[in-house]
Amino acid sequence: MLWEALGSAMLGLFLSLAALHRFAHRLPDHRLVLATGPAGALFGAFVAHTALGSGHVLPVLVGAVLIGAALLSLLLKPATRRLRRSTSATA
């Protein structure tokens, strides 16, 4: 279980670094992102380990990455696009 925790924390850190590299303009402060990735991955590993039991290292790490990515996606701000109002919508 120790290796699952360390592996999931490392995967969460790599996931948050990749998110910062790709979506830096749409994410809040980098310290929050770097803390959310490993925390989400550790929570995901805990949930997957609880559901699957011991001896399933790869599925636990996949669950850690999925939940870590889901938590990081909640930090994303919407893309900035200008929405034009049509003239028929104001009439």
Side-chain angles (χ1 to χ4, degrees):
M1 178 146 169
L2 177 68
W3 294 111
E4 290 174 358
L6 288 174
S8 64
M10 292 300 293
L11 287 173
L13 184 62
F14 291 142
L15 192 64
S16 62
L17 287 171
L20 275 174
H21 180 70
R22 175 72 175 96
F23 301 110
H25 60 285
R26 292 180 55 196
L27 286 168
D29 187 31
H30 69 279
R31 291 175 292 189
L32 177 65
V33 175
L34 289 176
T36 303
L42 282 171
F43 179 68
F46 171 72
V47 170
H49 182 81
T50 303
L52 299 173
S54 60
H56 297 89
V57 177
L58 188 60
V60 167
L61 293 178
V62 169
V65 169
L66 289 177
I67 293 181
L71 283 177
L72 282 173
S73 73
L74 294 176
L75 295 177
L76 284 173
K77 298 175 189 171
T80 55
R81 292 187 308 179
R82 290 189 184 202
L83 298 176
R84 290 189 289 162
R85 272 199 170 155
S86 66
T87 56
S88 62
T90 58

